[in-house]
Amino acid sequence: MHKSSWQSRRHRRRGHRHNACFRQHGANERNDAGAQQSPQGSSDGHGEAPSTSSKAGSSSVPDLPGYYFDPEKKRYFRLLPGHNNCNPLTKESIQQKEMERKRLKLLEEEKQQGKKIARLGFNTSSLLQKSKLGFVNATSYCRLAHELRVSCMQRKKVHIQSSDPSALASDQFNLIMADTNSDLLFTVNNVKVGGSKYGIISLHGLKTPTFRVHMHENLYFTNRKVNAMCWASLNHLDSHVLLCLMGIAETPGCATLLPTSLFANNHAAGDRPGMLCSFRIPGAWSCAWSLNIQANNCFSTGLSRRVLVTSVVTGHRQSFGTSSDVLTQQFALTAPLLFNGCRSGEIFAIDLRCQNQGKGWKATRLFHDSAVTSVRILQEEQCLMASDMAGTIKLWDLRTTKCIRQYEGHVNEYAHLPLHVHEEERIVVAVGQDCYTRIWSLHDGQLLRTIPSPYPTSKADIPSVAFSSRLGGAQGAPGLLMAVRQDLYCFSYS
């Protein structure tokens, strides 16, 4: 009697749990069916991309693993691990749609902007008034005026003229680099059939309202990837371009000095042809040209666990062993030092006066938590700025070896992205892996401007930029050049 009663109660409890599981399973199936029967709802994605319910904008909605809550439609949608035949909804697609929504919103704001302000309480009229009242000194006034002009830069498409217009329509910009005087722009373009070709754009015609420039293409073509490049001053200032080419198959990697005189109609009258030479260097990640008198006509290449300093004239090499890949380099101008940033996060300086590889050649050592992708020495050579693959940008005091400032907002996960520092305008420029170009105040790290890419965010379409205080030469105005896909844009102060 007692046994049968106990068994009946046990069966009732089992049945109750089974019914509860069945009801929960049915609710999940209805949610899945609703997501599949509502393609419009699963593809809009106008709200925030919520991986949790709090990000969805409603703290009262519980968080269900594998689902996200749409605050506009007020319902759950399932995050699918792969693809199916009816509008797949994955975490990646939600993030991509949200990024595109934000990009389009920023582009619309760029079109409709009036006089934006870089800092709270500092617009054009208030800055003039505070200057007249003596609240802002001359140095601060110039710096804040530059910041206001940066925040109001307007995007204009640059019309490129070339002897081969069909190539301009198909070849995509990969890298751009302005010379010292900012009247030439060296370009590396990805060719549709594969490989890369080089060009030089004359910026003398970069003026309002036409914004027309002319591209002088090079006859040379390479099927190898360009890992790094910099201007080289052999015959005269910026007479050559130093390129690090990646090796393929049985062809080893090399560092090539490409004279700008090879580009048709580019060199000045009477300029003798430059020297075209190549140095066999396996697997170079970075390069730098020396303007230091103690390492005259020398360049450096950062390799896997090694740094090579090579004399172009004599071919003599100095080798320095490292514990990690050297991803970025820059020579100091007055001090006999070569600064290097490594994949391990270490930044160290090589004393060029050391002829051996003893313990004394590392002059300075700094450390980041991630791989260092760019180092820039400031003019007085008392500070160094570095960025890494975690998106961290730091300003280091080389005298105390301490970080004195950080610049927030940069986005990077694994890409080898450059950092641009312009002390004359007191700004820092960097393009993130999210394809946004950000401009900070060098003085205090304030984020002044975030510029969206004119194209949807893609890892293959990260813009390449060049900023100058004199675009187009000595008479030019400050501005930013942005190259993405087949297009070149100018953000000028005027």
Side-chain angles (χ1 to χ4, degrees):
M1 181 71 178
H2 294 289
K3 183 176 181 181
S4 61
S5 175
W6 173 78
Q7 287 179 345
S8 63
R9 289 196 301 270
R10 182 181 178 186
H11 284 303
R12 283 198 299 272
R13 285 197 299 269
R14 284 184 178 177
H16 178 73
R17 286 197 300 268
H18 178 74
N19 290 336
C21 293
F22 179 79
R23 287 195 298 270
Q24 178 65 29
H25 179 69
N28 291 344
E29 287 185 343
R30 287 193 296 274
N31 282 336
D32 295 347
Q36 293 180 357
Q37 291 173 6
S38 304
Q40 180 70 23
S42 63
S43 60
D44 283 349
H46 293 300
E48 296 291 328
S51 56
T52 63
S53 58
S54 60
K55 293 182 181 179
S58 176
S59 58
S60 61
V61 178
D63 183 19
L64 298 181
Y67 291 82
Y68 90 96
F69 183 81
D70 192 316
E72 293 185 354
K73 298 175 178 55
K74 298 181 180 179
R75 60 178 298 173
Y76 286 98
F77 290 90
R78 187 179 181 184
L79 294 174
L80 302 179
H83 297 281
N84 61 8
N85 295 326
C86 184
N87 226 1
L89 189 66
T90 62
K91 185 177 181 180
E92 291 76 16
S93 66
I94 295 170
Q95 292 174 346
Q96 188 70 26
K97 289 173 184 176
E98 176 62 16
M99 289 175 65
E100 179 63 9
R101 185 188 69 83
K102 290 181 179 179
R103 187 188 72 87
L104 293 175
K105 182 180 178 181
L106 273 176
L107 284 175
E108 190 63 28
E109 290 176 356
E110 294 273 344
K111 291 180 182 179
Q112 299 176 357
Q113 72 174 1
K115 292 295 182 181
K116 298 178 69 175
I117 58 172
R119 296 177 185 270
L120 188 63
F122 278 95
N123 53 28
T124 306
S125 58
S126 66
L127 182 60
L128 285 172
Q129 186 177 6
K130 290 178 181 179
S131 176
K132 291 179 180 179
L133 294 174
F135 295 148
V136 178
N137 59 35
T139 303
S140 298
Y141 176 80
C142 291
R143 175 175 56 82
L144 292 169
H146 278 303
E147 292 181 2
L148 283 172
R149 299 180 75 180
V150 165
S151 65
C152 297
M153 292 189 303
Q154 294 286 333
R155 185 183 68 189
K156 302 291 183 182
K157 188 172 182 179
V158 179
H159 301 280
I160 306 174
Q161 298 174 336
S162 173
S163 57
D164 188 5
S166 62
L168 290 177
S170 60
D171 301 341
Q172 296 193 11
F173 285 105
N174 183 19
L175 299 169
I176 62 172
M177 178 177 63
D179 67 344
T180 305
N181 296 325
S182 300
D183 52 3
L184 295 178
L185 190 71
F186 183 80
T187 68
V188 178
N189 294 69
N190 292 332
V191 183
K192 191 175 182 180
V193 295
S196 301
K197 71 176 183 181
Y198 316 122
I200 280 186
I201 295 178
S202 174
L203 299 178
H204 291 294
L206 196 65
K207 298 177 182 179
T208 55
T210 57
F211 288 101
R212 294 185 181 275
V213 295
H214 187 80
M215 173 175 278
H216 306 281
E217 294 179 329
N218 180 24
L219 298 177
Y220 288 86
F221 173 84
T222 179
N223 59 351
R224 292 188 282 177
K225 179 184 176 183
V226 178
N227 274 354
M229 64 181 187
C230 66
W231 288 98
S233 303
L234 191 57
N235 299 338
H236 51 80
L237 184 65
D238 299 337
S239 62
H240 291 67
V241 177
L242 178 64
L243 298 166
C244 289
L245 303 179
M246 192 174 184
I248 55 171
E250 297 180 355
T251 306
C254 68
T256 300
L257 274 172
L258 188 69
T260 58
S261 57
L262 289 176
F263 296 84
N265 302 322
N266 178 58
H267 55 279
D271 185 18
R272 60 188 178 90
M275 179 175 60
L276 174 64
C277 55
S278 183
F279 300 87
R280 181 174 176 176
I281 296 177
W285 292 102
S286 58
C287 63
W289 182 266
S290 173
L291 293 176
N292 192 303
I293 194 171
Q294 299 191 52
N296 194 27
N297 291 331
C298 289
F299 69 90
S300 175
T301 46
L303 285 68
S304 296
R305 302 178 181 272
R306 191 156 54 114
V307 173
L308 285 181
V309 180
T310 306
S311 171
V312 176
V313 178
T314 64
H316 174 71
R317 287 183 176 177
Q318 283 183 273
S319 179
F320 300 89
T322 66
S323 59
S324 180
D325 301 339
V326 180
L327 302 182
T328 179
Q329 297 178 301
Q330 188 181 9
F331 284 93
L333 186 60
T334 57
L337 298 174
L338 169 63
F339 286 87
N340 306 266
C342 297
R343 192 183 298 276
S344 63
E346 180 187 11
I347 301 171
F348 64 89
I350 295 176
D351 191 335
L352 300 173
R353 295 167 296 188
C354 296
Q355 299 299 320
N356 55 35
Q357 297 188 38
K359 296 182 179 180
W361 58 268
K362 280 193 177 183
T364 305
R365 298 184 72 187
L366 310 169
F367 295 93
H368 276 234
D369 295 330
S370 183
V372 178
T373 61
S374 187
V375 293
R376 291 292 176 265
I377 307 168
L378 272 60
Q379 289 177 358
E380 296 181 356
E381 298 185 4
Q382 296 178 352
C383 294
L384 176 140
M385 187 168 288
S387 61
D388 61 32
M389 287 190 183
T392 303
I393 301 176
K394 291 184 177 182
L395 180 64
W396 293 89
D397 190 327
L398 295 176
R399 296 162 295 183
T400 62
T401 65
K402 292 183 178 179
C403 174
I404 56 177
R405 192 169 299 120
Q406 283 198 212
Y407 300 78
E408 304 295 338
H410 185 50
V411 176
N412 193 8
E413 294 178 353
Y414 57 81
H416 196 172
L417 301 175
L419 180 67
H420 310 273
V421 182
H422 302 275
E423 291 190 75
E424 191 170 345
E425 267 69 41
R426 305 289 294 173
I427 61 170
V428 180
V429 182
V431 181
Q433 204 170 346
D434 56 354
C435 298
Y436 285 86
T437 303
R438 293 175 175 87
I439 305 176
W440 295 266
S441 168
L442 178 62
H443 174 72
D444 58 4
Q446 172 79 25
L447 181 62
L448 305 176
R449 180 82 180 267
T450 301
I451 303 175
S453 171
Y455 289 99
T457 301
S458 169
K459 296 175 183 177
D461 294 326
I462 298 178
S464 180
V465 300
F467 188 93
S468 173
S469 56
R470 292 173 298 276
L471 279 180
Q475 303 300 321
L480 175 78
L481 289 173
M482 175 188 293
V484 56
R485 293 194 184 180
Q486 293 90 2
D487 298 329
L488 182 66
Y489 298 92
C490 179
F491 295 78
S492 64
Y493 277 21
S494 55

